[in-house]
Amino acid sequence: MEANLPDTTTEAWKLNEAGLSIFPLGSPFEEPPSWFVEVRCNDDYEQAKTDWPKAPRYRWKQYQDEAPDDSQIEQWTTLFPHTNWAIVTGYGVVVVDADSPEAVKFIEDGAITRTPLRATTSKGKHFYFQVNPDYPIQNSARKNRIDIRGAGGYVVAPGSTHADGTLYQWETDGYMDIADLHDLPMLTPDDVAAINGFNGQAAEEKPEGNLGFSTDQYQLPHDGSNLAEGQGRNNAAASMVGQLIRQDYSLMEIKRTLDQWNQSNTPPLSDAELNTTIASVTRTHTNNNPGSPVHVVPPPKPKFPFSHVKELVKGVKPINWLIKGFLEMDSLSLMFGEPACGKSFAAIDLACCVATGKDWHGKPVKKQGPVFYIAGEGFNGLSRRLMAWQVSHGYNLRNAPIYVSQCSASLIELGNARMVSDSIEEIVEETGGVIPSMIVIDTLARNFGPGDENATKEMNTFINNIDQLLRSKYECCVLIVHHTGVGSKDRARGNSALKGALDAEYAVVKSDDEVKITAKKMKDADEPEPVNFLFDPVRLPFMDDDGEPQYSCVLREFSPGDADDLKSKNSIENRLGDRQLKIIETLHNLLRNAQETLHKSGRDPMNARIELKNLKQDCYDQGFICSKHWRRTVDALIYRGFIEVNAPFVTVTEKGQEALNNA
């Protein structure tokens, strides 16, 4: 059966080499997974069979701004040689999706700019265009007869197979190759207006003619080079408008600039054409950036006030602590560490103490109040950790004012940052106006957005959005959870502007079962002494489907004077049972065999991965463990740090390898 399935690996590599960002979808040649049937399709199996070939296998938002590297493609193609693939739109290409013969005819009759790169689909065609950086197009898949797939969207790639058996195929003009994406034309505002008209938008929605104000009184500075008819005057005008909007020019300033430029064209565009272009690009900008309006007139210049020193001296107040000696109110703080070092456990511990008013390991909470936790990943794991804290400390969190986001936030983008702030404000109003004491951002990477953490400008934008819309708005403590730098484990990753903006900074370091939190910066107070913790397993008050007990962990403080007891405890805890040791040994052998297979085929052995389900089956086949004991034994190995699961894959940790070597 498998020999007759289409191998989509070659097509995936072609798309990757052309500079496109891709990721794997489901396949019509396999059964949709149970989670997809039950959760995404409400147990409708037939619907799942139809939808799975177009559904992402993994979270894919990170590939909107950076294409997956070769090792990731290698891993995917090895795991899924017959799967469908998606092309991320807004990254190199924008795609017009015509979903009916009428829509295809409308486009091919010349209603919009012609493109030499197309693809046939089950019901119509995809028309590929180059991204225009000065005329950004967001994804607008609204079940129209013609959709525009831009930033935030994807299309099924040629080489894939529709649920009805139709093969997606390239259709190109003779001179065109998919590697020549830079030769594709760009969509214009007129193209978008034509598509909107076909979809049935009211004619009056197309802006034209009069902007509603006069620019006669303004001196007209020269900007741009002159163009003759047929040399792309409308495209040039749209490009200039996009640049000026990004530089915060008002509509009046944009109009007078383009008027001056237009006078040198041969012949110039009419006022109606020029105004239509300005209004169209402006509308697109405001639709795509709801929190960033374009001013009609130049806004008044802000004042730069000064205060006499006597006003500052008489207003001096003692430190307004959130947690005495550790975190302040109205502050920006950071907690950083390597992956799986316990920094999120520490953040949850702090959040629960602030929300309930419980002392944080001997340090009193001075401003008990609501906590908003902006989570970027691991939502199921987060709920287990919160339950473990509740069980361990004897507090019922049901009525605690802790609010956890349902998704990550792109805080570098002003519109998204305002959306987060507005959502917090709604809850504040609903709960009687009690403002938050703490906001946790876990992690920076997952909540940064489409930007470069190492760029000064983009990091400053991230910091300013947090300062203005979260910290200063509520005068609360904002705690950011972050990763260590690549070159140095003693500092947080990213641009140094972040460290400069912090009021407090803490490093979280894990060694075996011990976690140490050490102050790296305390702006207005003495740095507290390091705090030492152990991971303390907690049995949760429920079982899995097989009746196996479930566990999570909390952090338990210990003093350096308990080092001997800790050593004795660890010597006991690091002992492995026969089943546990055999599981680690089996995983080690599976990984070694996979590496040898990759090496023999000329591929990188470091790409070898073992799925947890394959480890489980191998252990069952060997007969040393059964389903009755599997979950409890594996959970113990995970919580004790001998193996690590990054679904669906599992690896042996350094601690597990050391235990295996000793055995």
Side-chain angles (χ1 to χ4, degrees), residues 14 27 68 122 144 153 195 235 238 286 382 450 480 599 659:
K14 285 182 180 179
S27 169
S122 175
N144 294 318
I195 291 171
N235 281 348
T286 53
L382 184 61
I480 301 173
H599 178 71

Side-chain angles (χ1 to χ4, degrees), residues 310-325:
K310 67 180 181 181
E311 299 297 327
L312 300 178
V313 172
K314 75 177 183 180
V316 172
K317 298 178 181 178
I319 294 175
N320 186 14
W321 291 109
L322 172 63
I323 297 176
K324 184 68 177 289

Side-chain angles (χ1 to χ4, degrees), residues 520-574:
K520 293 294 183 179
K521 176 181 179 181
M522 202 69 170
K523 188 174 180 180
D524 295 321
D526 293 335
E527 294 181 358
E529 292 295 322
V531 189
N532 299 279
F533 297 94
L534 290 174
F535 278 119
D536 196 10
V538 176
R539 180 169 175 173
L540 303 179
F542 59 85
M543 305 282 190
D544 67 5
D545 293 340
D546 298 322
E548 296 292 333
Q550 301 294 289
Y551 295 86
S552 186
C553 289
V554 295
L555 294 180
R556 179 169 59 82
E557 186 183 3
F558 80 99
S559 67
D562 297 333
D564 292 339
D565 292 340
L566 172 64
K567 183 176 180 181
S568 174
K569 176 181 182 296
N570 284 342
S571 66
I572 296 172
E573 287 195 348
N574 288 345

